[in-house]
Amino acid sequence: MDKEKSQTLSLLYSERDIQIVIEVLAKQISLDYEGKEVVLVCNLKGAFMFFSDLCKRLSFNPEIDFMITSSYQGTTESSGEVEIIKDLHTPIKGKHVLIVEDIVDTGLTYAFVKKHLGLHDPASIKIASLLDKPSQRLVDITVDYKGFFINNQFVVGYGMDYEGYYRNLPYVAILSEKGI
Ligand code: PRP
């Protein structure tokens, strides 16, 4: 894969760092949602690893569903537009929806998804994101459960990509590229 040759990765959060934070988040989410009807939504593709690890540690049994949205168009900058490629299938009326994300950057994806799902009359909609990059925010949103704050660095791994690659890494790394 020639593309990898012009990039360097430096470790930001190890597998162990990530798992410790997920344990804490799972305990808090379990406390807050125990006894409620919950739909846990994995927003693909980036959230797949965090979603899987988080699910396994919850003390309650939510319904699980998947959405696919896309905001970045193969670059390290957000395009500012959000597209729903796959919508939920699970009815959410009267249920508590928790959206699981790998990262909140501009906030446009979450704002869009929240508004979209809100049309179906859920009891509540909140978000759990492994990473929160508040310096890039373009809309006023609350990240209800967050793992780590990060600076304005482009990160890959643990579900997150650069042009489709690096999602499989079990850790989060900062990607730097010639010219960036
Ligand atoms: C990433 C990430 C969030 C979104 C956050 O998804 O998974 O969904 O960007 O950015 P925002 O706060 O600026 O909207 P992306 O659109 O890159 O798709 P992916 O999950 O398939 O990588």
Side-chain angles (χ1 to χ4, degrees), residues 109-175:
T109 301
Y110 176 54
F112 185 88
V113 168
K114 190 174 183 186
K115 190 172 173 195
H116 171 73
L117 296 182
L119 299 174
H120 297 277
D121 221 9
S124 69
I125 304 179
K126 288 191 175 180
I127 182 169
S129 182
L130 181 70
L131 303 179
D132 185 5
K133 200 192 267 188
S135 63
Q136 295 306 102
R137 209 72 97 238
L138 294 177
V139 284
D140 185 21
I141 54 151
T142 300
V143 181
D144 304 284
Y145 303 95
K146 57 190 128 230
F148 302 99
F149 283 112
I150 61 167
N151 295 324
N152 189 22
Q153 293 151 317
F154 190 82
V155 291
V156 295
Y158 200 69
M160 292 171 283
D161 74 310
Y162 172 72
E163 297 193 354
Y165 296 101
Y166 303 118
R167 292 192 197 274
N168 60 307
L169 301 176
Y171 51 84
V172 175
I174 298 168
L175 178 142

Coordinates of all heavy atoms in Angstrom, one line a residue, residues 109-175:
T109 N -22.1 16.1 12.5 CA -22.7 14.7 12.4 C -23.7 14.5 13.5 O -24.8 14.1 13.2 CB -21.6 13.7 12.4 OG1 -20.7 13.9 11.3 CG2 -22.2 12.3 12.2
Y110 N -23.3 14.7 14.7 CA -24.2 14.4 15.9 C -25.4 15.3 15.8 O -26.5 14.9 16.0 CB -23.4 14.6 17.2 CG -24.3 14.4 18.4 CD1 -25.1 13.2 18.5 CD2 -24.4 15.4 19.4 CE1 -26.0 13.1 19.6 CE2 -25.3 15.2 20.4 CZ -26.1 14.1 20.5 OH -26.9 13.9 21.6
A111 N -25.2 16.6 15.5 CA -26.3 17.5 15.4 C -27.3 17.1 14.4 O -28.5 17.1 14.6 CB -25.8 19.0 15.1
F112 N -26.8 16.6 13.2 CA -27.7 16.2 12.2 C -28.4 14.9 12.6 O -29.6 14.8 12.4 CB -26.8 15.9 10.9 CG -27.6 15.5 9.7 CD1 -28.1 16.5 8.8 CD2 -27.8 14.2 9.4 CE1 -28.8 16.2 7.7 CE2 -28.6 13.9 8.3 CZ -29.1 14.8 7.4
V113 N -27.7 13.9 13.1 CA -28.3 12.6 13.5 C -29.3 12.8 14.6 O -30.4 12.2 14.6 CB -27.1 11.6 13.9 CG1 -27.7 10.4 14.6 CG2 -26.3 11.2 12.7
K114 N -29.0 13.7 15.5 CA -29.9 13.9 16.7 C -31.2 14.5 16.1 O -32.3 14.1 16.5 CB -29.2 14.9 17.7 CG -30.0 15.0 19.0 CD -29.2 15.8 20.0 CE -30.1 15.8 21.3 NZ -29.5 16.6 22.3
K115 N -31.1 15.5 15.3 CA -32.3 16.1 14.7 C -33.1 15.1 13.9 O -34.3 15.0 14.0 CB -31.9 17.3 13.8 CG -33.0 18.1 13.3 CD -32.5 19.3 12.6 CE -33.7 20.1 12.0 NZ -33.2 21.1 11.0
H116 N -32.4 14.3 13.1 CA -33.0 13.3 12.3 C -33.8 12.2 13.1 O -34.9 11.9 12.9 CB -32.0 12.6 11.4 CG -32.4 11.4 10.7 ND1 -33.3 11.5 9.6 CD2 -32.2 10.1 10.9 CE1 -33.5 10.3 9.1 NE2 -32.9 9.4 9.9
L117 N -33.1 11.7 14.1 CA -33.7 10.7 15.0 C -34.8 11.3 15.9 O -35.8 10.6 16.2 CB -32.7 9.9 15.8 CG -31.6 9.1 15.1 CD1 -30.7 8.4 16.0 CD2 -32.3 8.1 14.1
G118 N -34.7 12.5 16.2 CA -35.6 13.2 17.0 C -37.0 13.2 16.4 O -38.0 13.3 17.1
L119 N -37.1 13.1 15.1 CA -38.4 13.1 14.4 C -39.2 11.9 14.7 O -40.4 11.9 14.5 CB -38.1 13.2 12.8 CG -37.4 14.4 12.3 CD1 -37.1 14.2 10.8 CD2 -38.2 15.7 12.5
H120 N -38.5 10.8 15.2 CA -39.2 9.6 15.6 C -39.7 9.5 17.0 O -40.0 8.4 17.5 CB -38.3 8.4 15.2 CG -38.0 8.3 13.8 ND1 -38.8 7.7 12.8 CD2 -36.9 8.8 13.1 CE1 -38.3 7.8 11.6 NE2 -37.1 8.5 11.7
D121 N -39.6 10.6 17.7 CA -40.1 10.7 19.1 C -39.5 9.8 20.1 O -40.3 9.2 20.9 CB -41.7 10.5 18.9 CG -42.4 11.4 19.8 OD1 -41.8 12.3 20.3 OD2 -43.6 11.2 20.0
P122 N -38.2 9.7 20.2 CA -37.6 8.9 21.3 C -37.8 9.6 22.6 O -38.0 10.8 22.7 CB -36.1 8.9 20.9 CG -35.9 10.1 20.1 CD -37.2 10.4 19.4
A123 N -37.6 8.9 23.7 CA -37.7 9.5 25.1 C -36.5 10.4 25.3 O -36.6 11.4 26.0 CB -37.7 8.3 26.1
S124 N -35.3 10.0 24.8 CA -34.1 10.9 24.9 C -33.1 10.5 23.8 O -33.2 9.3 23.3 CB -33.5 10.7 26.3 OG -32.9 9.5 26.5
I125 N -32.2 11.4 23.5 CA -31.1 11.1 22.6 C -29.9 11.7 23.3 O -29.8 12.9 23.6 CB -31.3 11.7 21.2 CG1 -32.6 11.3 20.6 CG2 -30.1 11.3 20.3 CD1 -32.8 11.9 19.2
K126 N -28.9 10.8 23.5 CA -27.6 11.3 24.0 C -26.5 10.6 23.2 O -26.7 9.8 22.3 CB -27.4 10.9 25.5 CG -28.3 11.7 26.4 CD -28.0 11.6 27.8 CE -28.9 12.6 28.7 NZ -28.6 12.4 30.1
I127 N -25.2 11.1 23.5 CA -24.1 10.6 22.7 C -23.0 10.1 23.7 O -22.7 10.8 24.7 CB -23.6 11.6 21.7 CG1 -22.5 11.0 20.9 CG2 -23.2 12.9 22.4 CD1 -22.1 11.9 19.7
A128 N -22.3 9.0 23.3 CA -21.1 8.6 23.9 C -20.0 8.6 22.9 O -20.2 8.0 21.8 CB -21.2 7.2 24.6
S129 N -18.9 9.4 23.1 CA -17.9 9.4 22.1 C -16.5 9.1 22.7 O -16.2 9.7 23.8 CB -17.9 10.8 21.4 OG -16.9 10.9 20.4
L130 N -15.7 8.3 22.1 CA -14.4 8.0 22.7 C -13.6 9.3 22.7 O -12.9 9.6 23.7 CB -13.7 6.9 21.9 CG -12.3 6.6 22.4 CD1 -12.4 5.8 23.7 CD2 -11.5 5.8 21.4
L131 N -13.6 10.1 21.7 CA -12.8 11.3 21.6 C -13.7 12.5 21.4 O -14.7 12.4 20.7 CB -11.8 11.2 20.4 CG -10.9 10.0 20.4 CD1 -10.0 10.1 19.2 CD2 -10.0 10.0 21.7
D132 N -13.2 13.6 21.9 CA -13.9 14.9 21.8 C -12.9 15.9 21.4 O -11.9 16.1 22.1 CB -14.6 15.2 23.1 CG -15.5 16.5 23.0 OD1 -15.6 17.0 21.9 OD2 -16.0 16.9 24.0
K133 N -13.1 16.6 20.3 CA -12.2 17.6 19.8 C -12.9 19.0 19.8 O -13.3 19.5 18.8 CB -11.7 17.3 18.4 CG -10.4 17.9 17.9 CD -10.3 17.7 16.4 CE -9.5 16.5 16.0 NZ -9.2 16.5 14.6
P134 N -13.0 19.6 21.0 CA -13.9 20.8 21.1 C -13.4 22.0 20.3 O -14.2 22.8 20.0 CB -13.9 21.1 22.6 CG -12.8 20.3 23.2 CD -12.5 19.2 22.3
S135 N -12.1 22.0 20.1 CA -11.6 23.2 19.3 C -12.1 23.4 17.9 O -12.1 24.5 17.4 CB -10.0 23.1 19.3 OG -9.7 22.0 18.5
Q136 N -12.7 22.3 17.4 CA -13.2 22.3 16.0 C -14.7 22.5 15.9 O -15.2 22.5 14.8 CB -12.8 21.0 15.3 CG -11.3 20.9 15.1 CD -10.6 22.1 14.5 OE1 -10.0 22.9 15.1 NE2 -10.8 22.2 13.2
R137 N -15.3 22.7 17.0 CA -16.8 22.7 17.0 C -17.4 23.8 16.2 O -17.0 25.0 16.3 CB -17.3 22.8 18.5 CG -18.6 22.2 18.7 CD -18.6 20.6 18.7 NE -18.5 20.1 20.0 CZ -17.6 19.3 20.4 NH1 -16.6 18.9 19.6 NH2 -17.5 18.8 21.6
L138 N -18.4 23.5 15.4 CA -19.1 24.5 14.6 C -20.5 24.7 15.1 O -21.2 25.6 14.7 CB -19.1 24.1 13.1 CG -17.8 24.1 12.4 CD1 -17.9 23.6 11.0 CD2 -17.1 25.5 12.4
V139 N -21.0 23.7 15.9 CA -22.4 23.8 16.4 C -22.4 23.5 17.9 O -21.4 22.9 18.4 CB -23.3 22.8 15.7 CG1 -23.7 23.2 14.3 CG2 -22.7 21.4 15.7
D140 N -23.4 24.1 18.6 CA -23.4 24.0 20.0 C -24.1 22.6 20.4 O -25.3 22.5 20.4 CB -24.2 25.2 20.6 CG -24.2 25.2 22.1 OD1 -23.3 24.6 22.7 OD2 -25.1 25.8 22.7
I141 N -23.3 21.7 20.8 CA -23.8 20.4 21.2 C -23.2 20.0 22.5 O -22.1 20.4 22.9 CB -23.6 19.3 20.2 CG1 -22.1 19.2 19.8 CG2 -24.4 19.5 18.9 CD1 -21.6 17.9 19.4
T142 N -23.8 19.0 23.2 CA -23.2 18.5 24.5 C -22.8 17.0 24.2 O -23.6 16.2 23.7 CB -24.3 18.5 25.6 OG1 -24.7 19.8 25.8 CG2 -23.7 17.9 26.9
V143 N -21.5 16.7 24.5 CA -21.1 15.3 24.4 C -21.3 14.7 25.8 O -20.6 15.0 26.7 CB -19.6 15.2 24.0 CG1 -19.2 13.8 23.9 CG2 -19.4 15.9 22.6
D144 N -22.3 13.9 25.9 CA -22.8 13.4 27.2 C -21.8 12.5 27.9 O -21.5 12.6 29.1 CB -24.1 12.7 27.1 CG -25.1 13.6 26.4 OD1 -25.6 14.5 27.1 OD2 -25.4 13.4 25.2
Y145 N -21.2 11.6 27.2 CA -20.2 10.7 27.7 C -18.9 10.8 26.8 O -19.1 10.5 25.6 CB -20.7 9.3 27.8 CG -22.0 9.1 28.6 CD1 -23.2 9.2 27.9 CD2 -21.9 9.0 29.9 CE1 -24.4 9.1 28.6 CE2 -23.1 8.9 30.7 CZ -24.3 8.9 30.0 OH -25.5 8.8 30.7
K146 N -17.8 11.1 27.3 CA -16.6 11.2 26.5 C -15.4 10.5 27.1 O -15.3 10.6 28.4 CB -16.3 12.7 26.1 CG -16.1 13.6 27.3 CD -16.0 15.0 26.9 CE -16.9 15.8 27.7 NZ -17.8 16.7 27.2
G147 N -14.6 10.0 26.3 CA -13.4 9.3 26.8 C -12.3 10.2 27.0 O -11.8 10.4 28.2
F148 N -11.8 10.8 26.0 CA -10.6 11.7 26.0 C -10.9 13.0 25.2 O -11.6 13.0 24.2 CB -9.4 11.1 25.3 CG -9.0 9.8 25.8 CD1 -9.4 8.6 25.2 CD2 -8.2 9.7 27.0 CE1 -9.0 7.3 25.7 CE2 -7.7 8.4 27.4 CZ -8.1 7.3 26.8
F149 N -10.4 14.1 25.8 CA -10.4 15.4 25.0 C -9.1 15.3 24.1 O -8.1 14.9 24.6 CB -10.2 16.6 25.9 CG -11.5 17.0 26.5 CD1 -11.7 16.9 27.9 CD2 -12.6 17.5 25.8 CE1 -12.9 17.3 28.5 CE2 -13.8 17.9 26.4 CZ -13.9 17.8 27.8
I150 N -9.2 15.7 22.9 CA -7.9 15.8 22.1 C -7.8 17.2 21.5 O -8.8 17.9 21.2 CB -7.8 14.7 21.0 CG1 -8.9 14.8 20.0 CG2 -7.8 13.3 21.6 CD1 -8.7 14.0 18.7
N151 N -6.6 17.5 21.2 CA -6.3 18.8 20.5 C -6.6 18.7 19.0 O -7.0 17.6 18.6 CB -4.8 19.2 20.7 CG -4.5 19.5 22.1 OD1 -5.4 20.0 22.8 ND2 -3.3 19.1 22.6
N152 N -6.3 19.7 18.3 CA -6.7 19.7 16.8 C -5.6 18.9 16.1 O -4.8 19.5 15.3 CB -6.8 21.1 16.3 CG -7.3 21.1 14.9 OD1 -8.0 20.1 14.5 ND2 -7.1 22.1 14.1
Q153 N -5.6 17.6 16.3 CA -4.7 16.7 15.6 C -5.5 15.7 14.8 O -6.6 15.3 15.3 CB -3.8 16.0 16.6 CG -2.8 16.9 17.3 CD -2.5 16.4 18.7 OE1 -3.3 15.9 19.5 NE2 -1.2 16.5 19.1
F154 N -4.9 15.2 13.7 CA -5.7 14.2 13.0 C -5.3 12.8 13.5 O -4.1 12.4 13.5 CB -5.4 14.3 11.5 CG -6.3 13.4 10.7 CD1 -7.5 13.9 10.3 CD2 -5.9 12.2 10.3 CE1 -8.4 13.1 9.6 CE2 -6.7 11.4 9.5 CZ -8.0 11.8 9.2
V155 N -6.3 12.1 14.0 CA -6.0 10.8 14.6 C -6.6 9.6 13.8 O -7.6 9.8 13.1 CB -6.5 10.7 16.0 CG1 -5.7 11.6 16.9 CG2 -8.0 11.1 16.1
V156 N -5.9 8.5 13.9 CA -6.4 7.3 13.2 C -6.3 6.1 14.2 O -5.7 6.2 15.2 CB -5.5 7.0 11.9 CG1 -5.7 8.0 10.9 CG2 -4.0 6.8 12.3
G157 N -6.8 5.0 13.8 CA -6.8 3.8 14.5 C -8.0 3.6 15.4 O -8.8 4.5 15.6
Y158 N -8.2 2.4 16.0 CA -9.3 2.1 16.8 C -10.6 2.5 16.1 O -11.5 3.1 16.7 CB -9.2 2.7 18.2 CG -10.0 2.0 19.2 CD1 -9.7 0.7 19.6 CD2 -11.1 2.7 19.8 CE1 -10.5 0.1 20.6 CE2 -11.9 2.0 20.7 CZ -11.6 0.7 21.1 OH -12.4 0.1 22.0
G159 N -10.7 2.2 14.8 CA -11.9 2.5 14.0 C -11.8 3.7 13.1 O -12.5 3.8 12.1
M160 N -10.8 4.6 13.4 CA -10.7 5.8 12.7 C -9.7 5.7 11.5 O -8.7 5.0 11.7 CB -10.3 7.0 13.6 CG -11.4 7.3 14.6 SD -10.9 8.5 15.8 CE -10.0 7.4 16.9
D161 N -10.1 6.4 10.4 CA -9.3 6.1 9.2 C -8.6 7.4 8.6 O -9.0 8.5 9.0 CB -10.2 5.6 8.1 CG -11.1 6.6 7.5 OD1 -11.8 7.4 8.3 OD2 -11.1 6.8 6.3
Y162 N -7.7 7.1 7.7 CA -7.2 8.1 6.8 C -7.4 7.5 5.4 O -6.7 6.4 5.1 CB -5.7 8.4 7.1 CG -5.2 9.3 6.0 CD1 -5.5 10.7 5.9 CD2 -4.3 8.8 5.0 CE1 -5.0 11.5 5.0 CE2 -3.8 9.7 4.1 CZ -4.2 11.0 4.0 OH -3.7 11.8 3.0
E163 N -8.3 8.0 4.6 CA -8.6 7.5 3.3 C -8.8 6.0 3.3 O -8.4 5.3 2.4 CB -7.4 7.9 2.3 CG -7.3 9.4 2.2 CD -6.4 9.8 1.0 OE1 -5.8 9.0 0.4 OE2 -6.4 11.0 0.8
G164 N -9.6 5.6 4.3 CA -10.0 4.2 4.4 C -9.0 3.3 5.1 O -9.4 2.1 5.4
Y165 N -7.8 3.7 5.5 CA -6.9 2.8 6.1 C -6.7 3.2 7.6 O -7.1 4.2 8.0 CB -5.5 3.0 5.4 CG -5.6 2.5 4.0 CD1 -5.6 3.4 2.9 CD2 -5.6 1.1 3.7 CE1 -5.7 3.0 1.6 CE2 -5.7 0.7 2.3 CZ -5.8 1.6 1.3 OH -5.8 1.2 0.0
Y166 N -6.1 2.2 8.3 CA -5.7 2.3 9.7 C -6.8 2.1 10.7 O -6.6 2.1 11.9 CB -5.1 3.7 10.0 CG -3.9 4.1 9.2 CD1 -3.9 5.2 8.4 CD2 -2.7 3.4 9.3 CE1 -2.8 5.6 7.6 CE2 -1.6 3.7 8.5 CZ -1.6 4.9 7.7 OH -0.6 5.2 7.0
R167 N -8.0 1.8 10.2 CA -9.1 1.5 11.1 C -8.8 0.3 12.0 O -9.4 0.2 13.1 CB -10.4 1.2 10.4 CG -11.0 2.4 9.6 CD -12.4 2.1 9.1 NE -12.9 3.0 8.1 CZ -13.5 4.2 8.3 NH1 -13.6 4.6 9.6 NH2 -13.9 4.9 7.3
N168 N -8.0 -0.6 11.6 CA -7.8 -1.9 12.3 C -6.8 -1.7 13.5 O -6.7 -2.7 14.3 CB -7.3 -2.9 11.3 CG -6.0 -2.5 10.7 OD1 -5.9 -1.4 10.1 ND2 -5.0 -3.4 10.8
L169 N -6.1 -0.6 13.6 CA -5.1 -0.5 14.6 C -5.9 -0.6 16.0 O -6.9 0.1 16.2 CB -4.4 0.8 14.5 CG -3.6 1.1 13.2 CD1 -3.0 2.5 13.3 CD2 -2.6 0.0 13.0
P170 N -5.3 -1.3 17.0 CA -6.0 -1.4 18.3 C -5.7 -0.2 19.2 O -6.2 -0.2 20.3 CB -5.4 -2.7 18.9 CG -4.0 -2.8 18.2 CD -4.1 -2.1 16.9
Y171 N -5.0 0.8 18.7 CA -4.7 2.0 19.5 C -5.0 3.3 18.7 O -5.3 3.2 17.5 CB -3.2 2.0 19.9 CG -2.3 1.8 18.7 CD1 -1.9 2.9 17.9 CD2 -1.8 0.5 18.4 CE1 -1.1 2.7 16.8 CE2 -1.0 0.3 17.3 CZ -0.6 1.4 16.5 OH 0.2 1.2 15.4
V172 N -5.0 4.4 19.3 CA -5.2 5.7 18.6 C -3.8 6.4 18.4 O -3.0 6.5 19.3 CB -6.1 6.6 19.4 CG1 -6.2 8.0 18.7 CG2 -7.5 6.0 19.6
A173 N -3.6 6.8 17.2 CA -2.3 7.4 16.8 C -2.6 8.8 16.1 O -3.6 8.9 15.5 CB -1.5 6.5 16.0
I174 N -1.6 9.7 16.3 CA -1.6 10.9 15.5 C -1.0 10.7 14.2 O 0.1 10.1 14.1 CB -0.9 12.0 16.3 CG1 -1.6 12.3 17.6 CG2 -0.8 13.3 15.4 CD1 -0.8 13.2 18.5
L175 N -1.7 11.1 13.1 CA -1.1 10.9 11.8 C -0.5 12.2 11.3 O -1.2 13.2 11.3 CB -2.2 10.4 10.8 CG -1.8 10.1 9.4 CD1 -2.5 8.9 8.8 CD2 -2.2 11.4 8.5

